[in-house]
Amino acid sequence: MAYLLGFFVADGCVSGELQTISFSQNDKAILEDIRNELGSTHKIYTDKRTNVHTLYIHSKIMKNDLMDLHGIQSNKSKTIEFPYIPDQYISHFIRGLFDGDGHLYKTKYYICFVGGSKAFMVKLCQILNDFNFNSKVVQTSSYYRVYVSGKDDVKRFGEWIYTNKSIWLDRKYKAFGFDNKIFKKSRGM
């Protein structure tokens, strides 16, 4: 469930008026996995214009849990606070967040998360630093980026978030290419 919460923080929405939450993503397969993980039979809709897929979950309980337990409100992008996640689940939460709002730049050896809430992004950076990743926050005009940089840190980050995985966005997992020589140590190291 930590993964689902991380993914929801990145690509989810709490309806302001309806008893509904939703997940939106270009990759329909991950929404099918989420639906299966939740034991849901709700339909996944596709916007024919944008090819974005959305899974709507009509559940007052889930909506209230997200709002009351995790402080997630509608229009969360700029106001969300980092939810409490026990250390043993933080890598799963961050994998979900990465699958929604993260990107791997393999050739430049860095990972980037993008978000609109300063408090959330500062806390994310602090947590990554607490787990010994070389990370920093950079502010742009309207959003924040958290970077993890360095060849070894990028490799360790991938290993960390994919250990004991049960759900993940396949294209991002494959992007790490752990069997690729990019992540192998050079001679003399």
Side-chain angles (χ1 to χ4, degrees):
M1 287 298 154
Y3 173 88
L4 297 181
L5 182 59
F7 195 89
F8 185 83
V9 166
D11 284 342
C13 179
V14 173
S15 173
E17 298 173 14
L18 304 173
Q19 299 302 329
T20 302
I21 65 166
S22 61
F23 297 86
S24 295
Q25 202 5 275
N26 290 330
D27 188 317
K28 187 176 181 180
I30 192 65
L31 296 182
E32 292 168 346
D33 291 344
I34 289 169
R35 181 176 59 191
N36 291 340
E37 190 76 18
L38 293 172
S40 168
T41 57
H42 289 91
K43 186 176 177 185
I44 297 171
Y45 295 90
T46 303
D47 183 322
K48 302 292 184 201
R49 199 175 33 87
T50 63
N51 205 34
V52 171
H53 310 283
T54 303
L55 170 62
Y56 293 98
I57 307 284
H58 307 289
S59 170
K60 182 177 181 178
I61 293 170
M62 289 181 95
K63 179 180 178 181
N64 288 342
D65 283 353
L66 286 166
M67 294 173 73
D68 298 339
L69 298 177
H70 301 294
I72 299 173
Q73 305 297 319
S74 59
N75 300 319
K76 66 180 172 36
S77 297
K78 295 188 184 265
T79 60
I80 192 166
E81 298 280 333
F82 203 96
Y84 169 74
I85 307 291
D87 283 352
Q88 70 262 32
Y89 303 116
I90 196 72
S91 65
H92 302 291
F93 175 83
I94 291 177
R95 183 177 68 253
L97 189 64
F98 176 76
D99 280 355
D101 282 341
H103 190 77
L104 167 65
Y105 297 88
K106 241 185 339 191
T107 58
K108 296 183 181 178
Y109 306 116
Y110 71 90
I111 291 163
C112 178
F113 291 88
V114 178
S117 168
K118 180 178 182 180
F120 184 92
M121 298 303 276
V122 166
K123 182 67 175 179
L124 172 62
C125 184
Q126 175 192 340
I127 288 169
L128 291 170
N129 282 323
D130 289 348
F131 279 88
N132 297 312
F133 293 105
N134 178 25
S135 60
K136 66 179 179 178
V137 179
V138 175
Q139 180 180 359
T140 64
S141 59
S142 60
Y143 54 90
Y144 301 86
R145 292 182 183 267
V146 171
Y147 292 97
V148 172
S149 60
K151 184 177 181 178
D152 290 339
D153 274 5
V154 167
K155 180 179 186 269
R156 276 190 323 103
F157 177 84
E159 291 167 346
W160 180 61
I161 66 170
Y162 291 114
T163 296
N164 299 322
K165 68 187 180 320
S166 61
I167 186 170
W168 65 93
L169 186 58
D170 199 46
R171 69 180 159 81
K172 289 198 178 178
Y173 174 74
K174 287 178 179 176
F176 278 91
F178 293 112
D179 59 343
N180 188 318
K181 63 183 172 184
I182 286 175
F183 289 117
K184 291 183 181 171
K185 290 189 174 184
S186 336
R187 281 187 228 185
M189 290 182 78

